[in-house]
Amino acid sequence: MKFSIIIPTLNEAQNIQGCLMALQPLRSDCEIIVVDGGSNDNTPAVAEPLADQLINAPKGRAWQMNAGARQATGEVLVFLHADTALPDNAIPLIQQQINQPAPWGRFDIRLSGDHFMLKVIARMMNWRSRLTGIATGDQVIFVTRDAFMAVGGYPDISLMEDIAICKELNKISPPLCLKAKVTSSGRRWLQFGLYKTILLMWSLRLRYFFGEDPQTLARLYSGGHLWMP
């Protein structure tokens, strides 16, 4: 079974080398596809020699990940953020459990950083995901190509693309919730203040549930605003 690891990037020069170096031992069984959304730092130059493909796509994780999926040759697609690290046995774990019975899933998560609340947030993310069948992109969503194509890939929206595709995939089956932990940077939670960011994330989810335009939500997310300034 061949895997395609698809990594959307935008100005990730500080993270992409470490991310890709950690994936090098997997290249016998996996192809690595970096999809850049128009970085104005040296992300593409750093990534190119460490990836099987470097693709340019319009900015936005949904568009970038779909572009990577179109070029991928693997039977299983693994969508990885540049600031997230897979557990050592990630690929064997997926290979052992994919399609038994679910054709998709995600990992548990830990958040790197010293603040004690990051552990609480990660634990809550894992619990919520098990209860709802909804994963975040930070938890590294993986899916068979057939299932990905069956739901039409990621919807063309500016934010909440992970929630949207999980809702569609849940119509096929609940996810595999692997207990092995990916390690994701806590930088986003700390950037605008941890407690403000918790409130922001819940606000964005609630507003998306009630039909708020994802483009508006994306502007709030990128600026760390609870309301449009």
Side-chain angles (χ1 to χ4, degrees), residues 3 12 21 23 28 37 41 69 94 98 107 126 133 140 156 170 180-181 199-200 210 213-214:
F3 289 74
E12 289 285 0
M21 287 298 295
L23 298 177
S28 60
D41 62 8
I94 297 173
I98 196 82
F107 291 89
N126 297 331
V140 185
D156 292 334
N170 267 295
K181 290 182 172 65
L199 182 59
L200 172 63
F210 284 108
D213 179 15

Side-chain angles (χ1 to χ4, degrees), residues 5 24 29 43 62 68 88 118 121 187 199 202 220 229:
I5 301 176
Q24 296 307 297
D29 300 312
T43 296
D88 291 340
L118 292 172
I121 292 167
R187 60 179 178 163
L199 182 59
W202 279 104
L220 292 170

